[in-house]
Amino acid sequence: MAFMKTLAALSAACLCAGAAHAVVVTVNHNVTLLPPSGYLEVDLDLDGQVDINIASNFYVSVWSGNTQFTTPYALVGEVLGPDNEWRQGNTWMDLHGYVPNFVQDGLLHLGVRRTSVGDFYGYMTFNYDAQARSVSLNAFTYENSGLPIVVSASAVPEPAAALLLGAGLAALAGMRRRRVD
């Protein structure tokens, strides 16, 4: 019984500590009027500083600051972290017509790291318009602990937090079952 109480307390404490330090953050942008040429300066994390420049014709650039991006686009389920090739500068992401190979459920995901809020791994989610062959910025998602992030079709809870919550609930269920007996 004491073991179950200790396990439940430890699980709850770890869950709270983990949630306070490692969170997947999604910043919704819904920018549908990206310029077809030139670019729009975008503050991905909404801290008042421009992080990246983008256009509806798949143009991406970073000329100042520390922000970096991946090429090519990332797929859902892909891990973005130190093993990816990160770059600055500018590029047209669809120079050779490969963008449709990366579209999943009408979305494209571009890996981004080192925005103005810190050295975090994340990705921009774009809505892809196949008929117009253009994109609009939907959201920016990042893992605020500096750990790698898995590209997801939607924001999901951190796996470790879900595991700890499950362990705590199992311990509480075990304690309740023992009381009944």
Side-chain angles (χ1 to χ4, degrees), residues 61-76:
S61 72
V62 176
W63 294 108
S64 60
N66 294 322
T67 303
Q68 298 175 322
F69 57 92
T70 60
T71 56
Y73 288 99
L75 295 171
V76 171

Side-chain angles (χ1 to χ4, degrees), residues 33-42 50 52-57 59-63 90 92:
L33 297 175
L34 290 174
S37 62
Y39 57 83
L40 176 69
E41 295 179 332
V42 180
V50 172
I52 199 163
N53 307 311
I54 56 175
S56 67
N57 64 356
Y59 176 78
V60 178
S61 72
V62 176
W63 294 108
N90 71 324
W92 273 271

Side-chain angles (χ1 to χ4, degrees), residues 24-32 42-47 107 123-127 136-142 152-155:
V24 173
V25 177
T26 298
V27 180
N28 292 318
H29 285 278
N30 300 317
V31 178
T32 57
V42 180
D43 174 10
L44 291 174
D45 41 42
L46 302 180
D47 68 345
L107 301 175
Y123 55 91
M124 294 187 295
T125 301
F126 295 96
N127 293 314
S136 57
L137 179 60
N138 185 341
F140 173 59
T141 302
Y142 65 97
S152 173
S154 62

